Amino acid sequence: MKQTDSGQIRAGVVGWPIKHSRSPLIHRHWLNQHNLNGTYDRHAVAPDVATDFFGHFASHGWAGCNVTVPHKETAYAAADRRDASAQAVGAANTLWLEDGQLCAANTDTYGFMEHLKACCPDWADTAQHVAILGAGGAARAIVYGFMMAGAPRISILNRTKRRADDLIAAFDHHKSLGAIDWEQRHNIASFADVIVNTTTVGMDSAGPGGASADASPNALPSNLIDLTRRENPNRAIVCDIVYVPLLTPLLKHAKENGHKTVDGLGMLLHQAVPGFEKWFGVRPSVTDELRDLIIADLDAEQC
Ligand code: ATR
């Protein structure tokens, strides 16, 4: 752990832009809760200086940091050591210094799987077939999580088929993985036991071409998937990693059709745990109190 002369430990979140990051709210809550002498701040780093920033990380006086868009790949490349999930995704969201070396992790895998476990402890008992919508970095982290958990069949559905194929190739065509045409997404509820949206569809700020353009938050997400066609009497677990809004059009539609739902906020909270422990030496808990704090902040922003 790296401390200043006053014994204070510094950490933060690095991105561009960074002002909307909710990570300070999470980490400061834990710092207060555990009465620790530490700080956690937002730090804007422009893309043209990011390589230099991460390349000289030890000189900034931080114990470590979270990394967000667009620097996750740059942070990964700058690291001396990388955990298995960071290697699987090719990107890092958590950095810390250990024995003078810059270590990198991708805690999105952990964050997603922990939240799924917390919401549906028995998910693996019935999950023969997992369907992932999307093929970006978040999809990679989550696919890796299901692979590690031993899910027998994981199907990737992406608007741009080539990216689904690339994702499968990145995992060496693991036997559990396969691509399904995007056009088949409306049949998804007839074959999948767990459905995960990793696309930006449903996000309030998706912008032109994104969900906001295609479906209002209250409309059926007919542009995403139709969950009414289910021949299998079992209900699916429907997860969304979008958390603004918390009840996405997909989750609303899933609830209305009797499926179990898992929202995106839990992943955000759980992915923060390993970093906090590395920097400040205490493993924090994701509690209802923390969740309510973030929800209040999200609500305040939407007012
Ligand atoms: P991240 O790394 O955060 O996962 P990303 O790499 O930008 O983000 O990936 C975004 C995902 O959302 C992609 O799978 C993208 O599909 P394409 O590969 O076809 O671009 C998906 N996506 C974004 N907008 C979409 C839309 N309107 N309809 C369907 N999929 C969409």
Side-chain angles (χ1 to χ4, degrees):
M1 249 171 285
K2 185 158 183 160
Q3 299 179 342
T4 61
D5 291 343
S6 65
Q8 191 178 60
I9 299 170
R10 293 175 61 206
V13 56
V14 177
W16 182 268
I18 195 64
K19 68 173 190 266
H20 293 297
S21 171
R22 292 200 162 74
S23 292
L25 215 52
I26 300 171
H27 290 282
R28 289 173 189 170
H29 171 81
W30 285 332
L31 284 169
N32 284 336
Q33 187 184 24
H34 294 285
N35 204 15
L36 295 170
N37 184 13
T39 60
Y40 187 100
D41 297 305
R42 294 183 180 88
H43 198 71
V45 170
D48 58 337
V49 295
T51 302
D52 190 55
F53 178 86
F54 293 112
H56 297 95
F57 191 80
S59 68
H60 306 314
W62 293 14
C65 70
N66 285 125
V67 184
T68 187
V69 179
H71 298 323
K72 292 183 181 185
E73 285 82 8
T74 309
Y76 176 82
D80 301 303
R81 301 209 304 250
R82 305 165 178 108
D83 81 345
S85 179
Q87 287 179 43
V89 182
N93 69 351
T94 304
L95 299 177
W96 68 97
L97 290 164
E98 205 171 295
D99 304 327
Q101 294 209 299
L102 184 62
C103 304
N106 191 312
T107 65
D108 282 342
T109 303
Y110 169 85
F112 179 83
M113 299 309 288
E114 276 301 296
H115 183 47
L116 176 60
K117 207 163 66 185
C119 296
C120 308
D122 303 326
W123 71 266
D125 298 346
T126 51
Q128 288 304 305
H129 196 160
V130 176
I132 309 284
L133 296 155
R140 266 182 206 221
I142 291 168
V143 165
Y144 181 66
F146 282 113
M147 279 172 61
M148 291 299 102
R153 195 161 169 210
I154 306 165
S155 296
I156 321 294
L157 296 89
N158 195 49
R159 181 180 59 177
T160 311
K161 174 80 172 1
R162 184 189 46 76
R163 290 189 81 196
D165 294 337
D166 288 349
L167 189 157
I168 292 166
F171 287 113
D172 291 330
H173 300 273
H174 188 271
K175 60 179 176 2
S176 62
L177 298 180
I180 292 182
D181 286 342
W182 182 241
E183 288 66 36
Q184 291 299 315
R185 68 195 183 280
H186 295 303
N187 294 325
I188 202 169
S190 61
F191 59 78
D193 311 296
V194 180
I195 298 164
V196 187
N197 175 41
T198 74
T199 76
T200 47
V201 175
M203 198 184 280
D204 267 355
S205 58
S212 303
D214 298 336
S216 79
N218 297 319
L220 181 137
S222 54
N223 61 331
L224 191 56
I225 53 174
D226 178 357
L227 294 166
T228 54
R229 298 182 215 167
R230 186 160 181 90
E231 288 133 33
N232 183 337
N234 293 329
R235 296 298 175 194
I237 299 172
V238 179
C239 316
D240 206 328
I241 66 163
V242 171
Y243 60 89
V244 182
L246 198 54
L247 183 64
T248 62
L250 173 66
L251 293 184
K252 184 170 184 284
H253 178 55
K255 270 184 199 287
E256 285 164 1
N257 285 279
H259 301 287
K260 270 192 171 170
T261 58
V262 176
D263 69 42
L265 182 55
M267 177 181 174
L268 175 78
L269 302 179
H270 283 282
Q271 64 79 32
V273 168
F276 188 91
E277 184 180 25
K278 289 281 181 202
W279 311 318
F280 302 113
V282 175
R283 191 161 186 90
S285 300
V286 173
T287 57
D288 288 345
E289 188 191 359
L290 174 62
R291 197 179 146 85
D292 290 346
L293 181 80
I294 306 300
I295 291 173
D297 187 65
L298 296 171
D299 288 348
E301 192 178 85
Q302 282 178 342
C303 286

